Amino acid sequence: MAMKRFWLAAGAVAAALGITTFVQNTSLLAPAATGRPVLLAHRGLAQTYPSSGITDTTCTASRINPPEHPHLENTLVSMEAAFSAGADIVEFDIHPTTDGQFAVIHDWTLDCRTNGTGVTREKPLAELKALDIGHGYTADGGKTYPFRGKGIGLMPSLDEVLARFPDRRLLINVKSNDPREGEALAERLLKLPAAQLSLVMAYGGDRPITVLRERIPTLRTMSKEAEKRCLIHHLALGWAGLTPQSCERQLLLIPSNYTSWIWGWPARFTARMRAAGSEVIVAGPLVGGNGSAGIDRGEEFSALARPIPGIWTNRIDRIAPLVKAEQR
């Protein structure tokens, strides 16, 4: 009899936990979604390339897809084009310069994309701005270079981006794990008006991002370690409807093939994270160690669970019209 009572009690507890988990996490009981997904344009409106076989040393400019538009990544005109196409947030990359500025460029070295050589952060801003940032782009293995000579002087500084887009949402990628860069970026961002600062997010190495969070407590940020902590803690607590403190004020970039592991995906999780001051963005699937691709094709967009909180894309010109059509 004692054993029977034990199993009955255990069954009741398991049932109660199951009901609690369902009620706290089903999107069927979530408030109705309003608005469209937040659209995040990676590097503005940029040239794309096949993502297969990419490593940290791959020169992506040497393997672009045939160009469909005239824009080069991380330029003011590419950012303007992305916003005009429907982006809510534009992401761009920064490197410090030897004269205390930040240059907006993705690559650690100059040899791939530009007509310069050497390490990007070992140059003064004026030297970087004189380069042709379209020099290395080719879609046919070097037979032709469609952007050569067209990118001279197009590399902006961080100051120029902030001045051009004072009322737009921006995501800054710190390309190192040096805490001094977090300190320098914090000093620059703290000079912004409060309204403009509220529109900025940052991500990168864990050490500079930790500094940024300490210096600017209101800033939404992301690093691999911080996102890992948040999602592990949410895996442990989210079943009960709880939001871990480690998930507050985060930018959460969720690979589309990992969403099934997240309690309350999509509506409940998104509502909890937004209540914690965090932004949730869905990227393409994480495959191996090469990072997440963007949601760049119609079939990738169609496959996402609704409601979609936000979308990371390299092709804002393709994805924004699909989002707009779905909202009609």
Side-chain angles (χ1 to χ4, degrees):
M1 288 295 294
M3 184 59 69
K4 183 177 180 179
R5 286 196 297 270
F6 169 80
W7 286 114
L8 286 172
V13 170
L17 289 175
I19 292 170
T20 298
T21 300
F22 174 80
V23 170
Q24 292 294 337
N25 293 285
T26 178
S27 290
L28 295 174
L29 301 178
T34 59
R36 62 168 179 79
V38 173
L39 298 180
L40 195 160
H42 182 220
R43 305 188 203 173
L45 181 56
Q47 301 302 315
T48 59
Y49 47 84
S51 59
S52 60
I54 295 292
T55 69
D56 290 341
T57 59
T58 301
C59 176
T60 55
S62 68
R63 52 180 288 171
I64 61 169
N65 297 314
E68 297 180 31
H69 59 76
H71 301 296
L72 297 172
E73 65 178 52
N74 281 320
T75 62
L76 295 175
V77 289
S78 79
M79 296 177 195
E80 289 176 340
F83 283 127
S84 295
D88 299 292
I89 306 169
V90 163
E91 184 266 4
F92 60 94
D93 310 286
I94 61 170
H95 287 270
T97 64
T98 57
D99 50 350
Q101 303 293 313
F102 281 103
V104 178
I105 178 175
H106 174 271
D107 296 353
W108 193 269
T109 59
L110 301 167
D111 307 68
C112 166
R113 216 168 295 275
T114 81
N115 57 335
T117 60
V119 177
T120 304
R121 60 191 52 223
E122 294 177 358
K123 309 289 184 180
L125 183 62
E127 182 177 337
L128 293 173
K129 290 179 71 65
L131 297 174
D132 176 11
I133 63 171
H135 184 82
Y137 286 84
T138 179
D140 53 16
K143 295 178 183 177
T144 61
Y145 289 87
F147 298 102
R148 185 164 287 184
K150 299 178 181 179
I152 299 172
L154 291 187
M155 186 191 305
S157 67
L158 172 62
D159 284 352
E160 289 173 317
V161 175
L162 295 173
R164 181 68 66 90
F165 304 107
D167 57 352
R168 294 287 197 172
R169 298 186 68 188
L170 301 170
L171 172 60
I172 302 172
N173 184 8
V174 180
K175 301 300 292 184
S176 82
N177 198 28
D178 187 340
R180 293 173 297 180
E181 288 182 38
E183 187 67 40
L185 181 56
E187 287 294 325
R188 178 62 189 90
L189 294 181
L190 285 168
K191 296 177 182 177
L192 296 175
Q196 184 175 4
L197 180 59
S198 71
L199 300 175
V200 176
M201 299 185 291
Y203 75 112
D206 197 55
R207 296 170 70 194
I209 294 304
T210 297
V211 171
L212 274 169
R213 287 180 70 85
E214 291 172 350
R215 292 292 313 277
I216 312 176
T218 58
L219 191 71
R220 290 191 187 100
T221 61
M222 181 184 78
S223 71
K224 287 183 179 179
E225 291 303 315
E227 180 162 35
K228 186 187 302 182
R229 283 192 297 271
C230 165
L231 294 180
I232 289 174
H233 293 166
H234 186 266
L235 185 62
L237 299 174
W239 66 272
L242 302 176
T243 302
Q245 187 176 4
S246 57
C247 292
E248 295 177 359
R249 296 181 293 106
Q250 297 284 348
L251 167 64
L252 297 171
L253 186 63
I254 311 295
S256 58
N257 57 337
Y258 277 46
T259 57
S260 60
W261 294 92
I262 296 177
W263 294 114
W265 185 268
R268 285 296 183 89
F269 178 78
T270 301
R272 290 171 190 159
M273 294 304 109
R274 287 178 175 170
S278 294
E279 187 79 66
V280 181
I281 303 290
V282 185
L286 181 64
V287 180
N290 294 330
S292 295
I295 303 295
D296 298 335
R297 301 194 302 270
E299 55 268 32
E300 296 167 340
F301 170 72
S302 298
L304 297 177
R306 268 56 173 178
I308 308 168
I311 297 173
W312 174 285
T313 182
N314 300 295
R315 292 301 304 263
I316 187 65
D317 55 328
R318 289 180 181 173
I319 298 302
L322 297 177
V323 170
K324 184 176 180 180
E326 190 171 280
Q327 300 301 305
R328 290 173 183 160

